[in-house]
Amino acid sequence: MKKIIFLGLLISLGLFSCKSNYTRVGDKNANYIPYYLKVYEADSLYLLKNYESSYKILDSLFKKYEPINMPMYFEYENYIKMAVKFNKVKKEDLKNLARNYDYRYNDFNKDSLLNVALNKFKFSTKQIDDLHNKFESEIDTVYRNLLYKMNFDDQKVRISGNTDSNEVRIVDFKNDSLLRLNLNRFPTVQKVGSWKKLNHEDLNGNVSLDVVLIHLSAYENLFEYYDNRFLDYVRKGECLPKTYAHMKDKNNMIYHNESFYHFLFPSIKSMDDNLKKEIDNRRKKTGLPSIEYEKIWFEERLMKM
């Protein structure tokens, strides 16, 4: 009997140890910087069609970290599609896409590989809809609509034809005030949803902070407030590194006349090797890919959409 109890204790301790080594988005002491860097490595292999190596990297990564499924990389989706290729796809991963990442039945159905997985596990439309309904039920629609409004006002005052700098400033400072009131919760997909409409009554607009932050970064005192806060959100896996980096770059260009992360990139052929190395080190510390890979990613992902 004592042996059984001792064995049970060992198993419990082992399970607790495994769980404690697993990092979730938003954890107090989370560090997602290594996660981002591994995603870029896997993505570069994916672009080269070296699916086996890409799959192995992500399979190992998701044993340690909760997936983010970053826009334009979609590492979790790609992992599942590669798992289909290698006949290793898991039912739980498909359910997780619908339950936590805003994937609907049509998203599965229109993708040839995800559709194979859908049929393999005999998921019905209702089963996927039920999972997605649970996702929607947890969305903070008040926060979501606030982000819509902030983005709408940001653009309206800038594209009216006769831009008034005073009106722009009023809108920016209003958005700053609204954002500060809500920054105890970073607007992740799980909190406010994605760019997809929740239903036919939902507003149709941008719910990200990318554009708003770039415009707020033009004010030095406002930028100082957001700088460290958003870098902390990057480390916790809640804010995309590029969201933070674009804000930092815009501020640096205005006040120091140089691109801190080289997002507003001219040709890298003429860049000094030491400067290139320095910028790549900055990028790595912030969870960004190298300048060289950024260029490849831009050409292979964005330009071929």
Side-chain angles (χ1 to χ4, degrees), residues 122 149 304:
K122 297 181 170 57
K149 185 71 166 56
K304 292 185 177 180

Side-chain angles (χ1 to χ4, degrees), residues 6 16 37-38 50 59 71 84-85 139 274 297:
F6 181 69
F16 178 78
L37 300 180
K38 279 296 180 183
N50 186 347
D59 188 53
V84 174
K85 284 177 176 287
I139 294 301
N274 289 329
W297 179 88

Side-chain angles (χ1 to χ4, degrees), residues 18-32 64-66 188 191 232-238:
C18 290
K19 189 175 181 179
S20 65
N21 290 330
Y22 187 76
T23 302
R24 293 188 179 279
V25 172
D27 280 353
K28 183 178 179 181
N29 297 314
N31 179 15
Y32 265 81
K64 301 173 186 175
Y65 290 90
E66 178 184 11
T188 61
K191 289 188 179 76
D232 188 48
Y233 284 132
V234 170
R235 292 192 191 101
K236 290 182 179 180
E238 296 175 304

Side-chain angles (χ1 to χ4, degrees), residues 60-123:
S60 176
L61 188 64
F62 296 151
K63 287 180 172 66
K64 301 173 186 175
Y65 290 90
E66 178 184 11
I68 296 175
N69 204 41
M70 298 189 290
M72 301 308 300
Y73 292 97
F74 300 112
E75 69 276 9
Y76 191 38
E77 176 188 330
N78 287 339
Y79 167 73
I80 294 171
K81 291 198 282 192
M82 287 186 287
V84 174
K85 284 177 176 287
F86 303 134
N87 198 28
K88 293 181 179 180
V89 65
K90 300 169 188 171
K91 186 176 184 178
E92 286 306 309
D93 281 326
L94 286 174
K95 291 170 69 174
N96 198 28
L97 268 187
R99 176 65 181 82
N100 295 307
Y101 296 92
D102 202 11
Y103 279 67
R104 299 104 190 278
Y105 186 84
N106 190 50
D107 295 318
F108 291 97
N109 197 43
K110 70 183 180 183
D111 184 281
S112 58
L113 288 172
L114 292 180
N115 190 40
V116 168
L118 202 69
N119 292 326
K120 174 183 173 69
F121 296 111
K122 297 181 170 57
F123 276 114

Side-chain angles (χ1 to χ4, degrees), residues 65-188:
Y65 290 90
E66 178 184 11
I68 296 175
N69 204 41
M70 298 189 290
M72 301 308 300
Y73 292 97
F74 300 112
E75 69 276 9
Y76 191 38
E77 176 188 330
N78 287 339
Y79 167 73
I80 294 171
K81 291 198 282 192
M82 287 186 287
V84 174
K85 284 177 176 287
F86 303 134
N87 198 28
K88 293 181 179 180
V89 65
K90 300 169 188 171
K91 186 176 184 178
E92 286 306 309
D93 281 326
L94 286 174
K95 291 170 69 174
N96 198 28
L97 268 187
R99 176 65 181 82
N100 295 307
Y101 296 92
D102 202 11
Y103 279 67
R104 299 104 190 278
Y105 186 84
N106 190 50
D107 295 318
F108 291 97
N109 197 43
K110 70 183 180 183
D111 184 281
S112 58
L113 288 172
L114 292 180
N115 190 40
V116 168
L118 202 69
N119 292 326
K120 174 183 173 69
F121 296 111
K122 297 181 170 57
F123 276 114
S124 67
T125 306
K126 183 180 184 307
Q127 285 174 306
I128 297 297
D129 285 347
D130 286 346
L131 288 166
H132 190 264
N133 287 339
K134 289 179 181 177
F135 167 83
E136 286 191 2
S137 70
E138 295 173 6
I139 294 301
D140 185 339
T141 54
V142 174
Y143 198 1
R144 180 179 172 87
N145 290 336
L146 174 66
L147 292 169
Y148 277 144
K149 185 71 166 56
M150 288 170 64
N151 277 287
F152 178 81
D153 290 346
D154 175 277
Q155 290 301 293
K156 182 181 178 181
V157 77
R158 285 177 164 86
I159 60 175
S160 59
N162 297 308
T163 304
D164 185 314
S165 59
N166 188 52
E167 288 183 7
V168 168
R169 184 181 177 84
I170 290 170
V171 167
D172 287 342
F173 274 76
K174 178 184 177 184
N175 280 345
D176 167 62
S177 298
L178 292 171
L179 187 53
R180 292 190 193 211
L181 289 173
N182 288 277
L183 266 189
N184 61 315
R185 307 162 296 151
F186 190 86
T188 61

Side-chain angles (χ1 to χ4, degrees), residues 241-259:
K242 288 184 179 179
T243 298
Y244 169 79
H246 279 114
M247 175 184 72
K248 180 92 170 176
D249 252 15
K250 178 64 180 291
N251 178 268
N252 235 58
M253 287 295 291
I254 293 172
Y255 293 97
H256 304 287
N257 199 32
E258 63 179 8
S259 180

